Amino acid sequence: MKAINVMKMSFYSRSVNEGFARGALAAFIAQADPTVPQLADIKTAVSEAVTNSIVHAYPQQVGLVYLTVWIYPEGQIKVTVMDKGVGIENIQKAMEPMYTTGDPEERAGLGFAVMQSFMDKVKVTSSTGKGTRVTMWKQVGAGR
């Protein structure tokens, strides 16, 4: 299936850019006519994915985070958040609720669980030292 529209952007892994990414995503997918709850779900999932890249991918430096959004016919939305950071050594472990490589006083370890609960499908690929790609899908529109 061919996308009817696509948006690509990149930004530095600075916490101030998480809100920017969420806002740009919302403005772009508005053309697919999501319901307010669907829009909130996608924004929340993308916020978690972007925050993971900001916090975990580049722990000692600033790097680029890449956001790509596809809109397909019939209201299918595909979102990819990618970085070229440290990568995830054990994806299965990282996707367990309450697991975090960050400070447990500051991080709940629920990022992937949140993404999975708000999106229809979540796929994570990663290579240590090369980065991580989180791809998420959501069907939007009235009656869905």
Side-chain angles (χ1 to χ4, degrees):
M1 183 174 2
K2 186 175 178 173
I4 57 175
N5 207 355
V6 64
M7 180 268 298
K8 294 182 179 188
M9 60 189 253
S10 61
F11 46 89
Y12 280 145
S13 60
R14 299 190 184 282
S15 60
V16 297
N17 288 332
E18 180 272 327
F20 165 69
R22 194 175 57 238
L25 164 100
F28 183 74
I29 65 171
Q31 65 192 284
D33 200 25
T35 65
V36 172
Q38 290 165 346
L39 182 60
D41 288 353
I42 297 169
K43 287 171 55 179
T44 300
V46 168
S47 177
E48 289 295 331
V50 168
T51 298
N52 277 356
S53 287
I54 290 169
V55 171
H56 300 291
Y58 306 105
Q60 304 300 320
Q61 63 186 355
V62 172
L64 284 173
V65 177
Y66 304 87
L67 174 65
T68 306
V69 183
W70 294 263
I71 298 174
Y72 292 96
E74 308 298 324
Q76 182 71 255
I77 304 293
K78 177 181 171 186
V79 180
T80 298
V81 177
M82 188 184 85
D83 63 66
K84 294 182 180 177
V86 299
I88 301 171
E89 190 172 313
N90 184 335
I91 295 171
Q92 188 174 6
K93 182 77 172 164
M95 292 184 79
E96 291 177 6
M98 307 306 287
Y99 177 81
T100 182
T101 59
D103 181 353
E105 299 274 328
E106 295 179 17
R107 304 279 161 219
L110 295 172
F112 287 124
V114 167
M115 288 178 232
Q116 290 173 316
S117 68
F118 286 100
M119 300 297 281
D120 297 333
K121 181 180 175 186
V122 176
K123 179 181 177 187
V124 180
T125 57
S126 189
S127 182
T128 304
K130 294 184 179 177
T132 301
R133 176 189 306 260
V134 176
T135 305
M136 303 175 281
W137 293 264
K138 181 83 170 180
Q139 185 71 42
V140 301
R144 297 189 170 108

